[in-house]
Amino acid sequence: MEIEHEQGEHWFDSIYKEYERKGDFKDLPGKGKPLPRESVQGDTLNGILNNANYKPPWLELQHEIRKRMTNLIAFMEGQGDHKEISRQLEEINQEIRKYNRACPPILQKGLVSAQNIKDQYKHWA
């Protein structure tokens, strides 16, 4: 049985309203900022799967894509051959498409190009 306050209000609601009235929520750290990436639902799912010692195929593919992106970035910084860069980008994008078909929708990622690979890599790390 829940404790109720004035006019059918739940006790927690009245405590919250009192804190709000006093301004106790005005200076909370992170107020108005997006949630950190670690708190996204997909990361929770990954944690649960890892704790259960289960790696679904899309998670293994995620690790492979990240590895290939790391190698390609290093290759590009060494002024690699443009045809080889294009070939590797296409192969990585094929793997990303495969990953996106297999993973939960919240974890889907965008395709990479020579211009955005470093920014996109941050989403894979």
Side-chain angles (χ1 to χ4, degrees):
M1 186 167 132
E2 294 183 359
I3 300 172
E4 294 191 12
H5 283 254
E6 297 176 26
Q7 302 166 4
E9 189 175 72
H10 187 274
W11 65 271
F12 188 80
D13 292 333
S14 64
I15 292 171
Y16 180 86
K17 286 180 183 177
E18 179 63 21
Y19 269 77
E20 193 174 45
R21 185 187 63 74
K22 293 191 305 189
D24 290 342
F25 296 130
K26 287 185 179 178
D27 295 322
L28 294 175
K31 181 180 178 187
K33 296 181 181 175
L35 293 173
R37 177 145 172 80
E38 299 82 41
S39 67
V40 175
Q41 179 184 2
D43 290 327
T44 303
L45 176 60
N46 284 346
I48 292 168
L49 294 173
N50 284 334
N51 288 340
N53 291 323
Y54 174 73
K55 271 197 177 177
W58 55 265
L59 193 54
E60 290 178 8
L61 190 54
Q62 176 182 347
H63 294 294
E64 178 61 30
I65 292 168
R66 182 174 51 230
K67 180 179 166 186
R68 292 183 74 169
M69 289 175 74
T70 300
N71 293 339
L72 181 55
I73 290 169
F75 182 75
M76 290 170 67
E77 288 174 353
Q79 301 301 319
D81 175 40
H82 292 292
K83 288 182 182 180
E84 180 61 19
I85 291 171
S86 294
R87 185 189 67 74
Q88 288 187 37
L89 282 169
E90 183 53 38
E91 287 178 4
I92 290 171
N93 283 327
Q94 287 175 358
E95 294 297 306
I96 292 172
R97 288 181 191 99
K98 184 177 175 182
Y99 168 85
N100 285 341
R101 287 190 301 269
C103 74
I106 194 168
L107 298 177
Q108 292 182 355
K109 312 269 197 259
L111 300 179
V112 296
S113 67
Q115 293 77 29
N116 76 0
I117 191 167
K118 288 182 182 179
D119 289 331
Q120 288 290 66
Y121 180 79
K122 295 173 190 172
H123 299 290
W124 292 88

